[in-house]
Amino acid sequence: MKSANYKFHWFEQEDRRKQLRASVSEEGKLRLGRPLRETLPRFIQVGFDTNAMVLAIADGHGAGISCPACGVMTAQALSRQITAIGLRLPVVFHLERDEQTGYLLGRIVPRRRLDSAGDRRFDIEQLLILFRPILDGIVHQMGKSTPLADRKSIVTEAMCAAAQEYRPGYGDMGTYLEDHIKLTLRTENRQYVEAFGQRSLDQPLSCDDGDGFCLYDTIADPGFDWVGALDGRIDLERFCSSLSPDQQELIQMLQEGFLLPEIADLLGMSERDIRRMSAEIARQRRAFDGEA
């Protein structure tokens, strides 16, 4: 066997009884698990980031909140922050030490519920809130040849399907869902790229046997993001089609390397008007990207 330079990452058996956990009950009580309490100082500070949905517990350095021996403390303000973002109580946090800040940071553990058949299923309503940043990022970054409403529907359905298939042994749930959603959107986006490409990109790639041959089938180099490049071109065409004829002509001249005085002369406008038009195009592009 030929020798190779391996870099193994060795794993240890996980003991869930040692996991650092905290929960917030429907009554607004913060409950600190025993392993967590054993790591905390006498005085602590508790915070919550509503955007990241992350709980933080820090050393109070002799001040702040007295860490209760029983592990239960009133946290009405915390419970209100959690419910304000649409989450239902109770919620459970799994905490880990952050090396940079020294804080214990906790993310919400997705909740499972028994369905009518007695099977434990993830709470989809909760997952849609917890992983909304991932869904929004995929919708705005990928598959732009697919209409926006369809993209949103595809990623939501893909997340629901992946959540039911997920098992703890698959690794980080967020990463697993993201990979599955991206794969699904790429697959669904294929039909839109083919149709749009034949209609507006002057590349009607098809064959007589009706097997749906399209641009995807010409991709030879897996290291080059042909699909992303094609999506970008489609996106640019859609934006340009929303501009006035003068604005479209200005963009074409700029791409061809015309200088500002030359453009002003050809369009019969002042250089000041050309700059104003360019600024307006940039504003429309920002608005377009925000909606796409």
Side-chain angles (χ1 to χ4, degrees):
M1 180 175 174
K2 188 177 179 180
S3 61
N5 295 323
Y6 297 110
K7 294 182 179 179
F8 293 108
H9 297 277
W10 301 103
F11 301 96
E12 297 180 358
Q13 182 175 356
E14 296 182 3
D15 186 351
R16 292 194 175 186
R17 295 172 299 178
K18 296 181 180 180
Q19 289 184 350
L20 307 182
R21 294 207 171 200
S23 65
V24 180
S25 69
E26 294 177 347
E27 297 78 24
K29 301 288 186 181
L30 175 62
R31 302 178 184 274
L32 308 176
R34 184 186 298 274
L36 175 60
R37 294 200 307 271
E38 293 175 350
T39 67
L40 295 176
R42 182 178 176 184
F43 293 94
I44 60 174
Q45 289 181 308
V46 178
F48 184 69
D49 186 320
T50 55
N51 292 323
M53 290 174 282
V54 171
L55 177 73
I57 301 180
D59 190 335
H61 300 291
I65 304 171
S66 177
C67 185
C70 63
V72 180
M73 54 191 292
T74 301
Q76 293 293 336
L78 174 59
S79 65
R80 285 194 295 270
Q81 280 188 300
I82 293 173
T83 56
I85 59 179
L87 291 170
R88 290 183 296 174
L89 300 174
V91 294
V92 178
F93 295 90
H94 178 206
L95 295 96
E96 293 182 341
R97 182 76 63 181
D98 179 68
E99 295 182 357
Q100 291 186 334
T101 62
Y103 301 162
L104 285 168
L105 301 182
R107 295 193 176 277
I108 296 174
V109 179
R111 177 173 50 230
R112 289 177 183 262
R113 295 183 180 277
L114 291 177
D115 62 12
S116 57
D119 297 324
R120 291 177 62 81
R121 300 283 186 177
F122 282 106
D123 184 339
I124 298 300
E125 181 182 343
Q126 185 194 51
L127 289 182
L128 287 172
I129 296 174
L130 294 180
F131 296 109
R132 177 54 58 190
I134 292 178
L135 299 182
D136 290 344
I138 294 174
V139 164
H140 286 84
Q141 294 170 14
M142 292 183 57
K144 297 234 179 143
S145 51
T146 302
L148 178 59
D150 290 351
R151 290 205 305 274
K152 290 181 177 179
S153 177
I154 289 168
V155 300
T156 300
E157 292 178 8
M159 190 214 70
C160 294
Q164 305 308 344
E165 297 172 0
Y166 173 77
R167 300 293 181 273
Y170 295 168
D172 177 68
M173 186 176 189
T175 301
Y176 177 83
L177 293 180
E178 184 173 6
D179 291 343
H180 185 92
I181 294 168
K182 286 181 176 179
L183 177 60
T184 303
L185 184 56
R186 288 193 192 100
T187 302
E188 295 292 332
N189 189 53
R190 174 174 179 156
Q191 60 181 311
Y192 292 97
V193 171
E194 177 183 358
F196 202 106
Q198 293 178 3
R199 188 170 64 249
S200 68
L201 297 181
D202 298 324
Q203 297 184 47
L205 304 176
S206 60
C207 49
D208 297 334
D209 57 10
D211 65 353
F213 182 73
C214 67
L215 189 62
Y216 276 80
D217 302 300
T218 70
I219 298 174
D221 181 6
F224 183 79
D225 186 11
W226 288 94
V227 177
L230 185 57
D231 267 339
R233 186 172 175 183
I234 292 171
D235 196 41
L236 179 60
E237 283 191 6
R238 282 182 168 156
F239 169 68
C240 289
S241 67
S242 69
L243 301 176
S244 69
D246 283 346
Q247 289 175 323
Q248 293 179 19
E249 194 169 2
L250 172 58
I251 288 180
Q252 184 67 32
M253 290 188 205
L254 289 171
Q255 290 176 336
E256 293 177 1
F258 282 83
L259 299 177
L260 188 58
E262 295 174 321
I263 296 175
D265 183 56
L266 290 170
L267 293 182
M269 302 170 63
S270 68
E271 293 185 21
R272 181 177 180 181
D273 288 338
I274 295 297
R275 291 192 182 93
R276 186 182 296 111
M277 185 188 298
S278 300
E280 175 60 19
I281 293 174
R283 185 196 66 77
Q284 292 183 41
R285 181 70 205 209
R286 289 193 295 271
F288 179 85
D289 289 341
E291 297 170 359

